[in-house]
Short mmCIF file of all heavy atoms in Angstrom, two decimals:
data_model
loop_
_atom_site.label_atom_id
_atom_site.label_comp_id
_atom_site.label_asym_id
_atom_site.label_seq_id
_atom_site.Cartn_x
_atom_site.Cartn_y
_atom_site.Cartn_z
N MET A 685 104.49 73.91 102.57
CA MET A 685 104.58 75.08 101.72
C MET A 685 103.37 76.00 101.93
O MET A 685 103.50 77.20 101.85
CB MET A 685 104.68 74.62 100.26
CG MET A 685 104.96 75.72 99.31
SD MET A 685 106.63 76.30 99.56
CE MET A 685 106.83 77.33 98.18
N LYS A 686 102.22 75.39 102.20
CA LYS A 686 101.02 76.19 102.41
C LYS A 686 101.13 77.02 103.69
O LYS A 686 100.67 78.16 103.73
CB LYS A 686 99.80 75.28 102.46
CG LYS A 686 98.50 76.02 102.50
CD LYS A 686 97.33 75.07 102.40
CE LYS A 686 96.03 75.83 102.36
NZ LYS A 686 94.89 74.95 102.18
N HIS A 687 101.78 76.47 104.70
CA HIS A 687 101.96 77.19 105.96
C HIS A 687 102.87 78.40 105.77
O HIS A 687 102.62 79.46 106.35
CB HIS A 687 102.52 76.28 107.05
CG HIS A 687 101.60 75.16 107.41
ND1 HIS A 687 100.39 75.38 108.02
CD2 HIS A 687 101.70 73.83 107.22
CE1 HIS A 687 99.79 74.21 108.22
NE2 HIS A 687 100.56 73.25 107.72
N LEU A 688 103.90 78.25 104.96
CA LEU A 688 104.80 79.37 104.69
C LEU A 688 104.06 80.50 103.98
O LEU A 688 104.27 81.67 104.30
CB LEU A 688 105.99 78.90 103.84
CG LEU A 688 107.02 79.96 103.49
CD1 LEU A 688 107.69 80.48 104.75
CD2 LEU A 688 108.05 79.39 102.52
N LYS A 689 103.19 80.16 103.06
CA LYS A 689 102.41 81.18 102.35
C LYS A 689 101.49 81.92 103.31
O LYS A 689 101.35 83.14 103.22
CB LYS A 689 101.61 80.53 101.23
CG LYS A 689 100.88 81.51 100.36
CD LYS A 689 100.21 80.82 99.21
CE LYS A 689 99.48 81.83 98.34
NZ LYS A 689 98.81 81.21 97.21
N ILE A 690 100.88 81.20 104.22
CA ILE A 690 100.00 81.83 105.20
C ILE A 690 100.79 82.74 106.12
O ILE A 690 100.36 83.86 106.42
CB ILE A 690 99.23 80.76 106.00
CG1 ILE A 690 98.25 80.03 105.08
CG2 ILE A 690 98.49 81.38 107.17
CD1 ILE A 690 97.60 78.83 105.71
N ILE A 691 101.97 82.31 106.54
CA ILE A 691 102.81 83.12 107.41
C ILE A 691 103.26 84.39 106.69
O ILE A 691 103.20 85.49 107.24
CB ILE A 691 104.01 82.31 107.92
CG1 ILE A 691 103.53 81.23 108.90
CG2 ILE A 691 105.04 83.21 108.59
CD1 ILE A 691 104.59 80.24 109.29
N LEU A 692 103.70 84.25 105.44
CA LEU A 692 104.13 85.42 104.68
C LEU A 692 102.97 86.36 104.40
O LEU A 692 103.16 87.58 104.35
CB LEU A 692 104.80 84.99 103.38
CG LEU A 692 106.20 84.41 103.51
CD1 LEU A 692 106.72 84.01 102.14
CD2 LEU A 692 107.12 85.41 104.16
N THR A 693 101.78 85.82 104.22
CA THR A 693 100.61 86.66 104.00
C THR A 693 100.36 87.54 105.21
O THR A 693 99.94 88.69 105.07
CB THR A 693 99.37 85.79 103.72
OG1 THR A 693 99.62 84.98 102.58
CG2 THR A 693 98.14 86.63 103.47
N GLY A 694 100.65 87.04 106.38
CA GLY A 694 100.45 87.84 107.59
C GLY A 694 101.60 88.74 107.93
O GLY A 694 101.41 89.86 108.40
N ILE A 695 102.83 88.33 107.66
CA ILE A 695 104.00 89.08 108.10
C ILE A 695 104.44 90.15 107.11
O ILE A 695 104.86 91.23 107.51
CB ILE A 695 105.16 88.11 108.41
CG1 ILE A 695 104.82 87.28 109.64
CG2 ILE A 695 106.46 88.85 108.63
CD1 ILE A 695 105.86 86.27 110.01
N LEU A 696 104.35 89.88 105.81
CA LEU A 696 104.85 90.81 104.81
C LEU A 696 104.19 92.19 104.90
O LEU A 696 104.90 93.20 104.91
CB LEU A 696 104.71 90.20 103.42
CG LEU A 696 105.36 90.97 102.28
CD1 LEU A 696 106.87 91.04 102.49
CD2 LEU A 696 105.04 90.32 100.96
N PRO A 697 102.87 92.30 104.98
CA PRO A 697 102.28 93.64 105.12
C PRO A 697 102.67 94.35 106.41
O PRO A 697 102.79 95.57 106.43
CB PRO A 697 100.78 93.38 105.08
CG PRO A 697 100.64 92.09 104.37
CD PRO A 697 101.85 91.29 104.75
N ILE A 698 102.90 93.59 107.47
CA ILE A 698 103.33 94.20 108.73
C ILE A 698 104.72 94.79 108.57
O ILE A 698 104.98 95.92 109.02
CB ILE A 698 103.29 93.17 109.87
CG1 ILE A 698 101.85 92.75 110.16
CG2 ILE A 698 103.95 93.71 111.13
CD1 ILE A 698 101.71 91.58 111.10
N ILE A 699 105.62 94.07 107.92
CA ILE A 699 106.98 94.57 107.69
C ILE A 699 106.94 95.81 106.80
O ILE A 699 107.64 96.79 107.07
CB ILE A 699 107.86 93.46 107.09
CG1 ILE A 699 108.08 92.36 108.12
CG2 ILE A 699 109.20 94.02 106.60
CD1 ILE A 699 108.77 91.13 107.57
N ILE A 700 106.12 95.78 105.76
CA ILE A 700 106.00 96.94 104.87
C ILE A 700 105.45 98.15 105.63
O ILE A 700 105.94 99.28 105.46
CB ILE A 700 105.12 96.59 103.66
CG1 ILE A 700 105.83 95.58 102.77
CG2 ILE A 700 104.76 97.84 102.86
CD1 ILE A 700 105.00 95.05 101.64
N THR A 701 104.49 97.93 106.51
CA THR A 701 103.93 99.02 107.30
C THR A 701 104.97 99.60 108.26
O THR A 701 105.06 100.82 108.42
CB THR A 701 102.69 98.54 108.09
OG1 THR A 701 101.75 98.00 107.17
CG2 THR A 701 102.06 99.67 108.86
N ILE A 702 105.77 98.74 108.87
CA ILE A 702 106.82 99.22 109.77
C ILE A 702 107.83 100.07 109.00
O ILE A 702 108.26 101.13 109.49
CB ILE A 702 107.51 98.02 110.47
CG1 ILE A 702 106.55 97.40 111.48
CG2 ILE A 702 108.79 98.46 111.16
CD1 ILE A 702 107.04 96.09 112.07
N ILE A 703 108.20 99.65 107.80
CA ILE A 703 109.13 100.43 106.98
C ILE A 703 108.52 101.79 106.64
O ILE A 703 109.19 102.82 106.67
CB ILE A 703 109.52 99.65 105.71
CG1 ILE A 703 110.39 98.45 106.09
CG2 ILE A 703 110.26 100.54 104.72
CD1 ILE A 703 110.64 97.49 104.95
N GLY A 704 107.22 101.80 106.32
CA GLY A 704 106.54 103.07 106.03
C GLY A 704 106.51 104.00 107.23
O GLY A 704 106.73 105.21 107.10
N VAL A 705 106.23 103.45 108.40
CA VAL A 705 106.21 104.26 109.62
C VAL A 705 107.61 104.81 109.92
O VAL A 705 107.76 105.99 110.30
CB VAL A 705 105.66 103.45 110.81
CG1 VAL A 705 105.88 104.17 112.12
CG2 VAL A 705 104.19 103.14 110.61
N LEU A 706 108.63 104.01 109.73
CA LEU A 706 109.99 104.49 109.93
C LEU A 706 110.35 105.60 108.95
O LEU A 706 111.05 106.56 109.31
CB LEU A 706 110.99 103.34 109.81
CG LEU A 706 110.97 102.32 110.95
CD1 LEU A 706 111.92 101.17 110.65
CD2 LEU A 706 111.32 102.98 112.26
N ALA A 707 109.86 105.51 107.71
CA ALA A 707 110.10 106.58 106.74
C ALA A 707 109.39 107.86 107.16
O ALA A 707 109.94 108.96 107.01
CB ALA A 707 109.63 106.14 105.35
N ILE A 708 108.19 107.74 107.71
CA ILE A 708 107.46 108.92 108.18
C ILE A 708 108.19 109.56 109.36
O ILE A 708 108.36 110.78 109.43
CB ILE A 708 106.01 108.56 108.56
CG1 ILE A 708 105.22 108.20 107.30
CG2 ILE A 708 105.33 109.69 109.32
CD1 ILE A 708 103.83 107.68 107.57
N VAL A 709 108.66 108.74 110.30
CA VAL A 709 109.38 109.27 111.46
C VAL A 709 110.68 109.94 111.03
O VAL A 709 111.02 111.02 111.50
CB VAL A 709 109.65 108.14 112.48
CG1 VAL A 709 110.61 108.59 113.56
CG2 VAL A 709 108.34 107.66 113.09
N ALA A 710 111.40 109.32 110.11
CA ALA A 710 112.64 109.92 109.61
C ALA A 710 112.35 111.24 108.89
O ALA A 710 113.11 112.20 109.00
CB ALA A 710 113.36 108.96 108.67
N GLY A 711 111.24 111.29 108.16
CA GLY A 711 110.85 112.53 107.49
C GLY A 711 110.49 113.63 108.47
O GLY A 711 110.78 114.80 108.24
N GLU A 712 109.84 113.26 109.57
CA GLU A 712 109.51 114.24 110.60
C GLU A 712 110.77 114.76 111.31
O GLU A 712 110.87 115.95 111.59
CB GLU A 712 108.56 113.64 111.63
CG GLU A 712 107.13 113.54 111.18
CD GLU A 712 106.45 114.90 111.10
OE1 GLU A 712 106.77 115.80 111.90
OE2 GLU A 712 105.61 115.05 110.20
N LEU A 713 111.69 113.88 111.58
CA LEU A 713 112.91 114.29 112.27
C LEU A 713 113.76 115.23 111.41
O LEU A 713 114.38 116.15 111.92
CB LEU A 713 113.74 113.07 112.67
CG LEU A 713 113.15 112.20 113.78
CD1 LEU A 713 114.02 110.97 114.00
CD2 LEU A 713 113.02 113.00 115.07
N ASP A 714 113.78 114.97 110.11
CA ASP A 714 114.60 115.77 109.20
C ASP A 714 113.80 116.89 108.55
O ASP A 714 114.34 117.66 107.77
CB ASP A 714 115.20 114.85 108.13
CG ASP A 714 116.36 115.47 107.40
OD1 ASP A 714 117.05 116.30 108.02
OD2 ASP A 714 116.55 115.14 106.22
N ASP A 715 112.50 116.99 108.88
CA ASP A 715 111.60 117.98 108.30
C ASP A 715 111.59 117.89 106.78
O ASP A 715 111.74 118.87 106.07
CB ASP A 715 111.98 119.39 108.77
CG ASP A 715 110.84 120.38 108.56
OD1 ASP A 715 109.69 119.92 108.54
OD2 ASP A 715 111.09 121.58 108.42
N ALA A 716 111.42 116.65 106.29
CA ALA A 716 111.40 116.39 104.85
C ALA A 716 110.01 115.88 104.45
O ALA A 716 109.65 114.74 104.74
CB ALA A 716 112.45 115.36 104.50
N PRO A 717 109.23 116.74 103.79
CA PRO A 717 107.88 116.31 103.41
C PRO A 717 107.89 115.19 102.37
O PRO A 717 106.95 114.40 102.30
CB PRO A 717 107.23 117.57 102.85
CG PRO A 717 108.34 118.49 102.54
CD PRO A 717 109.49 118.12 103.42
N GLY A 718 108.93 115.11 101.56
CA GLY A 718 109.01 114.04 100.56
C GLY A 718 109.13 112.67 101.21
O GLY A 718 108.53 111.69 100.75
N ALA A 719 109.91 112.59 102.28
CA ALA A 719 110.07 111.32 102.99
C ALA A 719 108.77 110.90 103.67
O ALA A 719 108.44 109.71 103.72
CB ALA A 719 111.19 111.41 104.02
N ILE A 720 108.02 111.89 104.16
CA ILE A 720 106.73 111.58 104.77
C ILE A 720 105.77 111.04 103.71
O ILE A 720 105.06 110.05 103.95
CB ILE A 720 106.14 112.83 105.45
CG1 ILE A 720 107.05 113.27 106.61
CG2 ILE A 720 104.72 112.57 105.95
CD1 ILE A 720 106.68 114.59 107.20
N LEU A 721 105.77 111.66 102.53
CA LEU A 721 104.90 111.20 101.45
C LEU A 721 105.28 109.79 101.01
O LEU A 721 104.41 108.94 100.78
CB LEU A 721 104.98 112.15 100.26
CG LEU A 721 104.14 111.77 99.05
CD1 LEU A 721 102.66 111.77 99.39
CD2 LEU A 721 104.44 112.70 97.89
N ILE A 722 106.57 109.51 100.92
CA ILE A 722 107.03 108.17 100.56
C ILE A 722 106.58 107.16 101.61
O ILE A 722 106.14 106.06 101.28
CB ILE A 722 108.56 108.15 100.35
CG1 ILE A 722 108.91 108.92 99.09
CG2 ILE A 722 109.09 106.72 100.30
CD1 ILE A 722 110.40 109.13 98.90
N GLY A 723 106.68 107.52 102.89
CA GLY A 723 106.22 106.64 103.95
C GLY A 723 104.74 106.34 103.86
O GLY A 723 104.31 105.19 104.03
N VAL A 724 103.94 107.36 103.56
CA VAL A 724 102.49 107.17 103.40
C VAL A 724 102.21 106.27 102.21
O VAL A 724 101.36 105.36 102.28
CB VAL A 724 101.77 108.52 103.27
CG1 VAL A 724 100.32 108.34 102.86
CG2 VAL A 724 101.85 109.31 104.57
N LEU A 725 102.92 106.48 101.10
CA LEU A 725 102.72 105.64 99.92
C LEU A 725 103.12 104.19 100.19
O LEU A 725 102.47 103.26 99.69
CB LEU A 725 103.51 106.19 98.73
CG LEU A 725 103.00 107.52 98.17
CD1 LEU A 725 103.92 108.02 97.08
CD2 LEU A 725 101.59 107.38 97.67
N ILE A 726 104.17 103.98 100.98
CA ILE A 726 104.58 102.62 101.34
C ILE A 726 103.50 101.94 102.17
O ILE A 726 103.17 100.77 101.97
CB ILE A 726 105.94 102.63 102.08
CG1 ILE A 726 107.06 103.01 101.12
CG2 ILE A 726 106.23 101.27 102.72
CD1 ILE A 726 108.39 103.23 101.80
N ILE A 727 102.92 102.69 103.11
CA ILE A 727 101.86 102.12 103.96
C ILE A 727 100.63 101.78 103.12
O ILE A 727 100.03 100.72 103.28
CB ILE A 727 101.51 103.08 105.10
CG1 ILE A 727 102.68 103.15 106.08
CG2 ILE A 727 100.24 102.65 105.82
CD1 ILE A 727 102.51 104.19 107.17
N VAL A 728 100.24 102.67 102.22
CA VAL A 728 99.09 102.40 101.35
C VAL A 728 99.38 101.20 100.45
O VAL A 728 98.51 100.34 100.25
CB VAL A 728 98.74 103.66 100.52
CG1 VAL A 728 97.74 103.35 99.43
CG2 VAL A 728 98.22 104.76 101.42
N GLY A 729 100.60 101.12 99.93
CA GLY A 729 100.97 99.96 99.11
C GLY A 729 100.92 98.66 99.90
O GLY A 729 100.49 97.62 99.40
N GLY A 730 101.35 98.71 101.16
CA GLY A 730 101.28 97.54 102.02
C GLY A 730 99.85 97.11 102.29
O GLY A 730 99.53 95.92 102.32
N ALA A 731 98.95 98.09 102.46
CA ALA A 731 97.54 97.77 102.68
C ALA A 731 96.93 97.13 101.43
O ALA A 731 96.18 96.15 101.53
CB ALA A 731 96.78 99.03 103.06
N ILE A 732 97.26 97.67 100.27
CA ILE A 732 96.74 97.10 99.02
C ILE A 732 97.28 95.69 98.83
O ILE A 732 96.55 94.78 98.43
CB ILE A 732 97.10 98.01 97.83
CG1 ILE A 732 96.31 99.32 97.93
CG2 ILE A 732 96.83 97.32 96.50
CD1 ILE A 732 96.74 100.37 96.95
N LEU A 733 98.57 95.49 99.11
CA LEU A 733 99.16 94.16 99.00
C LEU A 733 98.48 93.18 99.95
O LEU A 733 98.19 92.04 99.57
CB LEU A 733 100.66 94.22 99.30
CG LEU A 733 101.40 92.88 99.30
CD1 LEU A 733 101.46 92.32 97.89
CD2 LEU A 733 102.79 93.06 99.86
N ASN A 734 98.21 93.63 101.16
CA ASN A 734 97.55 92.78 102.14
C ASN A 734 96.16 92.36 101.66
O ASN A 734 95.78 91.19 101.76
CB ASN A 734 97.44 93.51 103.48
CG ASN A 734 97.02 92.60 104.60
OD1 ASN A 734 97.12 91.39 104.50
ND2 ASN A 734 96.54 93.19 105.67
N ILE A 735 95.41 93.29 101.12
CA ILE A 735 94.07 92.97 100.62
C ILE A 735 94.15 91.97 99.48
O ILE A 735 93.39 91.00 99.43
CB ILE A 735 93.35 94.26 100.19
CG1 ILE A 735 93.03 95.11 101.41
CG2 ILE A 735 92.08 93.94 99.40
CD1 ILE A 735 92.57 96.51 101.09
N ARG A 736 95.10 92.18 98.55
CA ARG A 736 95.22 91.26 97.41
C ARG A 736 95.68 89.86 97.85
O ARG A 736 95.19 88.86 97.33
CB ARG A 736 96.19 91.84 96.40
CG ARG A 736 95.63 93.07 95.70
CD ARG A 736 96.58 93.62 94.70
NE ARG A 736 96.64 92.73 93.56
CZ ARG A 736 97.51 92.84 92.58
NH1 ARG A 736 98.40 93.80 92.60
NH2 ARG A 736 97.51 92.00 91.58
N LEU A 737 96.61 89.81 98.80
CA LEU A 737 97.09 88.50 99.26
C LEU A 737 95.99 87.72 99.96
O LEU A 737 95.82 86.52 99.75
CB LEU A 737 98.30 88.67 100.19
CG LEU A 737 99.62 89.05 99.55
CD1 LEU A 737 100.67 89.33 100.61
CD2 LEU A 737 100.09 87.98 98.60
N ILE A 738 95.23 88.40 100.81
CA ILE A 738 94.15 87.72 101.53
C ILE A 738 93.06 87.29 100.55
O ILE A 738 92.52 86.18 100.65
CB ILE A 738 93.58 88.62 102.64
CG1 ILE A 738 94.61 88.75 103.75
CG2 ILE A 738 92.27 88.09 103.18
CD1 ILE A 738 94.24 89.73 104.82
N LYS A 739 92.75 88.14 99.58
CA LYS A 739 91.75 87.80 98.58
C LYS A 739 92.18 86.57 97.78
O LYS A 739 91.38 85.65 97.56
CB LYS A 739 91.55 88.99 97.64
CG LYS A 739 90.39 88.93 96.74
CD LYS A 739 90.29 90.24 95.98
CE LYS A 739 89.11 90.28 95.08
NZ LYS A 739 89.04 91.53 94.32
N ASN A 740 93.43 86.51 97.37
CA ASN A 740 93.93 85.36 96.63
C ASN A 740 93.99 84.11 97.50
O ASN A 740 93.70 83.01 97.03
CB ASN A 740 95.33 85.65 96.05
CG ASN A 740 95.27 86.61 94.89
OD1 ASN A 740 94.25 86.75 94.24
ND2 ASN A 740 96.38 87.27 94.65
N LEU A 741 94.34 84.27 98.76
CA LEU A 741 94.41 83.13 99.66
C LEU A 741 93.03 82.49 99.83
O LEU A 741 92.89 81.28 99.76
CB LEU A 741 94.96 83.57 101.02
CG LEU A 741 95.12 82.48 102.07
CD1 LEU A 741 96.21 81.51 101.65
CD2 LEU A 741 95.42 83.09 103.41
N PHE A 742 92.01 83.31 100.03
CA PHE A 742 90.66 82.77 100.21
C PHE A 742 90.10 82.23 98.91
O PHE A 742 89.34 81.27 98.93
CB PHE A 742 89.72 83.82 100.80
CG PHE A 742 89.92 84.01 102.27
CD1 PHE A 742 90.31 85.22 102.78
CD2 PHE A 742 89.73 82.95 103.14
CE1 PHE A 742 90.49 85.40 104.13
CE2 PHE A 742 89.91 83.11 104.50
CZ PHE A 742 90.30 84.34 104.99
N ASN A 743 90.46 82.81 97.77
CA ASN A 743 89.97 82.28 96.50
C ASN A 743 90.54 80.91 96.22
O ASN A 743 89.86 80.03 95.72
CB ASN A 743 90.32 83.23 95.34
CG ASN A 743 89.41 84.44 95.31
OD1 ASN A 743 88.34 84.43 95.89
ND2 ASN A 743 89.83 85.48 94.62
N HIS A 744 91.81 80.70 96.55
CA HIS A 744 92.43 79.40 96.31
C HIS A 744 92.02 78.37 97.35
O HIS A 744 91.99 77.18 97.09
CB HIS A 744 93.96 79.52 96.28
CG HIS A 744 94.45 80.29 95.09
ND1 HIS A 744 94.23 79.88 93.80
CD2 HIS A 744 95.14 81.45 95.00
CE1 HIS A 744 94.78 80.74 92.97
NE2 HIS A 744 95.33 81.72 93.67
N GLU A 745 91.72 78.83 98.55
CA GLU A 745 91.35 77.90 99.62
C GLU A 745 89.99 77.27 99.36
O GLU A 745 89.79 76.10 99.64
CB GLU A 745 91.33 78.65 100.95
CG GLU A 745 91.08 77.77 102.14
CD GLU A 745 91.18 78.54 103.44
OE1 GLU A 745 92.09 79.38 103.55
OE2 GLU A 745 90.35 78.29 104.32
N PHE A 746 89.07 78.03 98.80
CA PHE A 746 87.73 77.52 98.57
C PHE A 746 87.49 77.08 97.13
O PHE A 746 86.37 76.80 96.75
CB PHE A 746 86.69 78.58 98.97
CG PHE A 746 86.73 78.94 100.42
CD1 PHE A 746 87.05 80.21 100.84
CD2 PHE A 746 86.46 77.98 101.38
CE1 PHE A 746 87.09 80.53 102.18
CE2 PHE A 746 86.50 78.28 102.73
CZ PHE A 746 86.82 79.56 103.12
N ASP A 747 88.56 77.03 96.35
CA ASP A 747 88.45 76.61 94.96
C ASP A 747 88.24 75.10 94.91
O ASP A 747 89.01 74.33 95.49
CB ASP A 747 89.71 76.99 94.19
CG ASP A 747 89.54 76.86 92.69
OD1 ASP A 747 88.38 76.75 92.24
OD2 ASP A 747 90.56 76.88 91.99
N THR A 748 87.20 74.65 94.22
CA THR A 748 86.89 73.22 94.17
C THR A 748 87.41 72.55 92.91
O THR A 748 87.25 71.36 92.74
CB THR A 748 85.37 72.99 94.26
OG1 THR A 748 84.73 73.69 93.19
CG2 THR A 748 84.84 73.48 95.60
N ASN A 749 88.01 73.30 92.01
CA ASN A 749 88.52 72.71 90.74
C ASN A 749 89.80 71.97 90.96
O ASN A 749 90.63 72.19 91.66
CB ASN A 749 88.69 73.79 89.70
CG ASN A 749 87.35 74.35 89.26
OD1 ASN A 749 86.35 73.68 89.40
ND2 ASN A 749 87.36 75.57 88.78
#
């Protein structure tokens, strides 16, 4: 179970970033600034999620309780 958590910690932000990039590309193709903004927000959300997941992973890994 611990290995699955480590794998998801690495893959989930990458998938979210890919979805954000695809939203930006779709917004550029259709000339829709709202879609570009949504793509940027998805990427920022993925980065925040990645930071929180890694922070929690390291806090639990070195927890001695």
Side-chain angles (χ1 to χ4, degrees):
M685 188 70 170
K686 187 174 183 177
H687 296 293
L688 180 63
K689 185 175 180 180
I690 293 172
I691 291 171
L692 286 179
T693 302
I695 292 178
L696 188 63
I698 294 170
I699 292 172
I700 292 173
T701 304
I702 290 171
I703 291 171
V705 169
L706 290 175
I708 291 173
V709 169
E712 282 289 327
L713 290 176
D714 196 30
D715 198 26
I720 296 171
L721 179 63
I722 290 172
V724 170
L725 291 176
I726 291 172
I727 291 173
V728 169
I732 291 170
L733 177 69
N734 191 19
I735 291 169
R736 291 181 71 189
L737 287 174
I738 290 174
K739 192 175 182 181
N740 287 337
L741 181 68
F742 282 118
N743 283 342
H744 292 298
E745 185 175 319
F746 297 117
D747 193 15
T748 58
N749 292 337

